[in-house]
Amino acid sequence: GENVEQHPSTLSVQEGDSAVIKCTYSDSASNYFPWYKQELGKRPQLIIDIRSNVGEKKDQRIAVTLNKTAKHFSLHITETQPEDSAVYFCAALKDPGGGADGLTFGKGTHLIIQP
Amino acid sequence: ETGVTQTPRHLVMGMTNKKSLKCEQHLGHNAMYWYKQSAKKPLELMFVYNFKEQTENNSVPSRFSPECPNSSHLFLHLHTLQPEDSALYLCASSQGGYPGEQYFGPGTRLTVT
């Protein structure tokens, strides 16, 4: 089955600086890679996702890059703000081809934005 | 409440009790999922249902028994649990058929005493 490794487990950055979280996956058949943000006591919420047919995707201050050859993908947050403080999870999924499949998650990164 | 709802939000049960967790999605999705989130492990997939049919059981012990009577409702029946089963149990739903966003419920915080 799929295995997703995520680093670092904790990341502390100064407000306004950039943050980068990295993930690797093991199953070369995986082709959908979402990132979820979970604030304390709240449910995980999707912030950005990328499919295997593109190498990069941006949404305002958030971007995700994918390297299929190396089987790794990264989340980039620029101009960090206090509300970015949360736990971020990467995940991977193999296209079910008409069905549904569960996500395999990384262990999470606790992002701390220092004022 | 819209989206994905879960009840109860908190549950304390003894190891000999039987209880059930309920999930309901109001998004018109056809796939539903159970995940377990504990302090020392990543979000772990437990079960997947697509159009009411179970399509995945991620090696979950038989003391956890899922039920999906229709595409909008999902249950997790619990019996003879162990203290290590204490965790946050999250339900999610998605459209299915094409990889896309899974919408999570708020979770049920389960404590087994």
Side-chain angles (χ1 to χ4, degrees), chain A residues 31-32 36 38 41-46 49 51 53 89 93-108, chain B residues 1 4 9 31 33 35 37 40 42-43 45 48-50 55-56 88 90 94 96-106:
Chain A
N31 56 9
Y32 174 66
Y36 282 80
Q38 188 175 27
K42 296 190 176 181
R43 71 191 76 190
Q45 291 193 297
L46 181 75
D49 57 12
R51 303 179 194 278
N53 57 347
F89 294 95
L93 181 149
K94 186 169 60 178
D95 188 338
D101 205 357
L103 294 165
T104 300
F105 282 89
K107 289 187 176 182
Chain B
E1 184 177 351
V4 182
R9 296 293 306 276
Y33 313 81
Y35 289 90
Q37 187 174 32
K40 299 184 178 180
L43 278 154
L45 177 68
V48 180
Y49 278 82
N50 191 33
T55 58
E56 187 164 349
L88 181 68
L90 290 159
S94 71
Y98 185 71
E101 180 173 2
Q102 292 187 13
Y103 292 80
F104 284 85

Side-chain angles (χ1 to χ4, degrees), chain A residues 22-44:
Chain A
K22 299 182 179 181
C23 289
T24 60
Y25 61 98
S26 61
D27 190 343
S28 57
S30 290
N31 56 9
Y32 174 66
F33 307 93
W35 286 88
Y36 282 80
K37 176 183 180 182
Q38 188 175 27
E39 296 178 49
L40 188 63
K42 296 190 176 181
R43 71 191 76 190

Side-chain angles (χ1 to χ4, degrees), chain A residues 67-85:
Chain A
N67 183 327
K68 284 215 70 178
T69 303
K71 290 191 283 188
H72 67 71
F73 56 113
S74 300
L75 177 71
H76 304 253
I77 305 174
T78 58
E79 301 172 13
T80 53
Q81 300 170 3
E83 54 265 35
D84 295 330
S85 294

Side-chain angles (χ1 to χ4, degrees), chain B residues 76-97:
Chain B
L76 188 62
H77 304 298
L78 316 172
H79 64 96
T80 59
L81 294 191
Q82 304 299 312
E84 59 265 29
D85 296 322
S86 298
L88 181 68
Y89 288 85
L90 290 159
C91 172
S93 70
S94 71
Q95 187 55 42

Side-chain angles (χ1 to χ4, degrees), chain B residues 8 10-21 63-65 76-87 89 108-113:
Chain B
H10 301 272
L11 178 63
V12 179
M13 60 185 289
M15 289 190 286
T16 58
N17 292 158
K18 291 184 180 181
K19 297 286 184 182
S20 295
L21 310 184
R63 57 186 184 270
F64 295 91
S65 175
L76 188 62
H77 304 298
L78 316 172
H79 64 96
T80 59
L81 294 191
Q82 304 299 312
E84 59 265 29
D85 296 322
S86 298
Y89 288 85
T108 295
R109 174 67 64 184
L110 174 67
T111 303
V112 181
T113 60

Side-chain angles (χ1 to χ4, degrees), chain B residues 16-73:
Chain B
T16 58
N17 292 158
K18 291 184 180 181
K19 297 286 184 182
S20 295
L21 310 184
K22 179 183 177 182
C23 175
E24 184 173 0
Q25 59 95 1
H26 310 268
L27 300 168
H29 291 162
N30 48 45
M32 297 188 77
Y33 313 81
W34 280 116
Y35 289 90
K36 176 184 178 182
Q37 187 174 32
S38 52
K40 299 184 178 180
K41 292 186 176 182
L43 278 154
E44 297 176 90
L45 177 68
M46 300 177 72
F47 301 104
V48 180
Y49 278 82
N50 191 33
F51 290 102
K52 305 186 299 177
E53 299 298 320
Q54 184 175 312
T55 58
E56 187 164 349
N57 175 338
N58 201 24
S59 302
V60 180
S62 60
R63 57 186 184 270
F64 295 91
S65 175
E67 178 189 0
C68 188
N70 54 62
S71 294
S72 299
H73 294 85

